[in-house]
Amino acid sequence: MSLASALYIVPTPIGNLGDMTQRAIEVLTAADLIAAEDTRHSRRLLDAYSISGHLWSLHEHNERARSAAIIERVQAGQIVALISDAGTPLISDPGYPLLRACRDAGVNVIPLPGPCAAITALSAAGLPTDRFSFEGFLPAKSGALNSRLDGLAKEPRTMVFYESPRRVLVTLTAMIEHFGAEREATLAKELTKRFESVVQSTLAGLIDWLEAEPERQQGEFVLVIGGYQVPEGEGLPAEAERWLALLIAELPLKKAAALVAEMYDVKKKLVYDLGLKLQGR
Ligand code: SAM
């Protein structure tokens, strides 16, 4: 198969080697250069598919410096692949400065679909998937952690977080403070691996599950947290109120209320009544 010269973004398995796609193997086999987060780790992956691959390391400390050289290679007609240690590059992984530089230079970029822990967890979480917010890793310092969670307390969409075994209990405890113990939550652990578990519960229920057997606290985790639900009869989230105020300046109240009700999945009447108040009627 002959491939166009480009920077290819190539997802790799998040545990189970069987999840490497046929196309990922073809691109990595054909690549003149493979930019990888950790070359020793990626060499083992490539060996598993008998791909010899010329590897370059690309991590947060050298990414800007290496981008220019990678762009030159693609402009000279080569095939360059970008991989990370696991899953989709750029998703809580290196690659953004390189991608940005490629876009700015008008370099051809071809993304391949493939494994991603966030999407795999979300698909099995049993929480709404029509709208969701990917939040990646939370800050480690308590001040920054609390202010991030505070800002998310009224987020109506399902939220997806990455977490390490070291911090999973700290994070769940902090989430209880900001979201409440009964907020729906799913923990997806060791996806695609031997000790895979997907546990759907509440924030408090997940802490109980993790504490019941300490070995459950080991491994890689995705936390999928249900969005804020406006309690029956209570007001709208502040963000919805702001949208309503903006929309009624441009649209008839009925139309504006219908749009905001749809956006936040709340009763039209609730929004309409608030609109009347905002209009001073
Ligand atoms: N780029 C990757 C992706 O597409 O999912 C994510 C890389 S990020 C550095 C690593 C984090 O992803 C882990 O700390 C964990 O939160 C999550 N993760 C990766 N593999 C996982 C797995 N097999 N099961 C559960 N979570 C996983």
Side-chain angles (χ1 to χ4, degrees):
M1 189 184 57
S2 111
L3 293 174
S5 154
L7 174 76
Y8 289 81
I9 304 167
V10 183
T12 56
I14 55 170
N16 188 326
L17 284 185
D19 293 330
M20 189 82 158
T21 67
Q22 187 59 38
R23 200 160 156 235
I25 295 171
E26 281 164 10
V27 169
L28 293 176
T29 304
D32 298 293
L33 175 69
I34 301 171
E37 194 180 354
D38 174 343
T39 53
R40 274 197 305 178
H41 176 97
S42 294
R43 176 63 66 202
R44 286 195 293 276
L45 176 82
L46 297 180
D47 284 348
Y49 297 96
S50 309
I51 299 170
S52 50
H54 177 43
L55 283 166
W56 268 18
S57 78
L58 186 90
H59 45 71
E60 61 174 310
H61 303 296
N62 70 0
E63 189 168 353
R64 283 172 202 281
R66 287 238 146 144
S67 295
I70 288 174
I71 287 171
E72 269 176 31
R73 297 268 191 138
V74 181
Q75 284 171 334
Q78 292 198 357
I79 291 166
V80 180
L82 171 66
I83 60 176
S84 61
D85 286 352
T88 302
L90 280 92
I91 306 301
S92 294
D93 265 342
Y96 173 66
L98 171 63
L99 248 288
R100 189 71 210 200
C102 285
R103 291 279 175 219
D104 291 347
V107 161
N108 196 17
V109 174
I110 301 181
L112 269 60
C116 175
I119 298 298
T120 309
L122 181 67
S123 71
L127 289 165
T129 52
D130 50 345
R131 299 177 69 210
F132 64 90
S133 161
F134 175 65
E135 297 294 330
F137 288 100
L138 283 163
K141 294 209 172 116
S142 72
L145 171 67
N146 284 317
S147 85
R148 179 76 59 85
L149 291 177
D150 197 41
L152 291 171
K154 296 272 167 79
E155 169 58 61
R157 296 169 294 179
T158 296
M159 293 167 277
V160 183
F161 297 87
Y162 283 159
E163 199 43 274
S164 72
R166 226 170 8 94
R167 293 195 48 86
V168 67
L169 283 175
V170 177
T171 295
L172 287 168
T173 306
M175 282 178 172
I176 286 182
E177 251 177 62
H178 293 272
F179 304 163
E182 293 311 308
R183 181 73 73 96
E184 281 195 294
T186 297
L187 179 139
K189 170 178 150 48
E190 294 287 89
L191 290 164
T192 79
K193 302 189 211 176
R194 184 160 167 225
F195 295 109
E196 174 178 87
S197 329
V198 178
V199 184
Q200 185 174 14
S201 183
T202 58
L203 288 171
L206 290 184
I207 293 188
D208 290 346
W209 186 82
L210 285 166
E211 285 181 336
E213 289 176 32
E215 58 275 23
R216 289 180 177 168
Q217 293 163 35
Q218 286 159 18
E220 297 194 280
F221 300 97
V222 181
L223 292 169
V224 187
I225 312 296
Y228 174 73
Q229 311 242 317
V230 183
E232 200 63 49
E234 260 191 34
L236 289 172
E239 192 193 61
E241 202 172 317
R242 282 199 297 277
W243 272 114
L244 183 62
L246 281 173
L247 289 171
I248 52 179
E250 306 292 334
L251 297 171
L253 173 57
K254 208 168 157 200
K255 178 92 191 145
L259 282 172
V260 173
E262 174 75 26
M263 283 163 74
Y264 288 88
D265 198 19
V266 290
K267 294 213 164 67
K268 265 189 233 158
K269 166 110 179 59
L270 191 72
V271 188
Y272 187 84
D273 289 348
L274 178 67
L276 287 177
K277 262 198 230 154
L278 290 176
Q279 288 178 329
R281 289 202 255 154

